[in-house]
Structures are given as structure tokens and as C-alpha cells.
Amino acid sequence: MDYAYWWWHWANHMVPVFWRFHNVHHTDLDLDVSTAARFHFGEMLFSVGFLSVAVVIFGIAPTLLLIFFITFEAATLFHHSNWRLPIQLERGLNLIIVTPRMHGIHHSIVERETNSNWGTIFCWWDKLHRTLRRDVPQDAVTIGVAAYRDEHELTLGHLFVLPFRKQREWRLPSGEEPNRESQPAERLAE
């Protein structure tokens, strides 16, 4: 199921109609536990459809599904938190699970970084698909979507209609496209 959700998360970024809704999650200017619950109702409806199909295909028993979702939600809250783990602990955890530092890169205003680290529980899927990025120091990440930096545009009402409006190019309000020189992506930046 975790691997299936990796694909669902990938689709939420790569399929334009899904991105319109998932974009609401990424517009948060501060990554913290509340970000884990910041989803547009449209994305939630699409997710229920995806989940229903996955459960039927995999034949997941109700008890196993409950265990999975408890683990999934705990992982989601953990990696959306703003915890700064000691570097040695980070290195150890990053061999197996998605950490706040790793997922923080996924919430970067640099589009290449946002389109990486799609895992929820395990980081293996990003290693497998070569989408794992750990090359950005935690302090160097600016959270959010480049085109949506004005907090007055990020109110409940504005976010509700965001998927139904013309989507902006991935540029800062100044017109600049955020970029960062890429390092070896597997290397954990300190």
C-alpha cells in the first residue's frame, strides 16, 4: 500500500488535473504538523477513489487496512513536522523512513525539489525510482509554491477556488524561477 501511495503522490504532481488540487497542500508557507491536514476536498475525493481501487486490487483485509492507516497517518504527521533531528539520527532513519528533513525538500519552492521525495512511510520507493533527494541543507529550503507567496491569497476561500482558476507558472511574483545548483542527490546535506 505504501508503494501504491508513492504512485498516487507522483500522479498528484504529474497529472495536471490532480496537481490543481494537490497544489493547495503545497502552498502552505510553513511546514508543520498542520500541513499534514491541509488538503483540498477535491483531492480527498480523488484519494478515496484511489484507495477503494487499491484495496480491491490488493484484497486488503479490514484489520490490515486499519494498521496500515494508523502507520500511514503517523508517518505523515511525523514527516510534516518541523522537528530538527540530530544529524546522526537523521542519517540512520533516512536509510529506511521518510524524515521531516527529507520531506521538507519535497515542499521546496524549487520545482525540481518539489518533484522528488514522494514517499510516505519508506524512502525505498524514491531510491528505486531515482527521485530521492537529500542534497539540500534544511536551513536552505524555502517552503511553499513559488507562484503563491502572498499569505492573503492563501486564505480558506482562496484555497477553495484555487483548483478551478488558471494555474500560474512556477515563478516567484518577481518573475524569477527559483533554482538551486544540484548536488549528488543521495548525499545527505548537513
Side-chain angles (χ1 to χ4, degrees), residues 5-53:
Y5 264 94
W6 184 94
W7 281 104
W8 175 243
H9 197 175
W10 175 88
N12 273 299
H13 282 254
M14 296 298 142
V15 177
V17 70
F18 292 158
W19 172 251
R20 289 176 162 274
F21 293 93
H22 189 62
N23 192 12
V24 169
H25 173 68
H26 277 269
T27 59
D28 201 348
L29 299 176
D30 296 303
L31 186 63
D32 57 34
V33 173
S34 71
T35 310
R38 182 189 175 108
F39 290 98
H40 193 280
F41 80 93
E43 179 178 355
M44 293 165 72
L45 289 174
F46 288 137
S47 292
V48 167
F50 166 79
L51 171 65
S52 300
V53 169

Side-chain angles (χ1 to χ4, degrees), residues 147-160:
Y148 300 94
R149 305 300 302 157
D150 181 356
E151 64 184 40
H152 295 94
E153 291 185 316
L154 303 178
T155 62
L156 183 61
H158 282 95
L159 292 174
F160 181 79

Side-chain angles (χ1 to χ4, degrees), residues 112-183:
R112 177 185 71 252
E113 295 167 3
T114 297
N115 290 329
S116 68
N117 298 355
W118 287 307
T120 300
I121 299 172
F122 299 112
C123 62
W124 304 322
W125 319 124
D126 284 300
K127 286 181 184 178
L128 176 68
H129 292 281
R130 302 181 61 111
T131 55
L132 177 64
R133 298 204 72 83
R134 296 187 281 203
D135 62 327
V136 183
Q138 198 164 12
D139 290 337
V141 175
T142 301
I143 301 299
V145 175
Y148 300 94
R149 305 300 302 157
D150 181 356
E151 64 184 40
H152 295 94
E153 291 185 316
L154 303 178
T155 62
L156 183 61
H158 282 95
L159 292 174
F160 181 79
V161 297
L162 179 67
F164 307 106
R165 293 196 168 157
K166 183 178 186 308
Q167 299 294 292
R168 298 176 186 166
E169 289 185 43
W170 197 282
R171 297 191 182 284
L172 292 166
S174 67
E176 178 187 356
E177 184 176 341
N179 206 348
R180 183 184 341 270
E181 188 174 322
S182 185
Q183 303 293 321

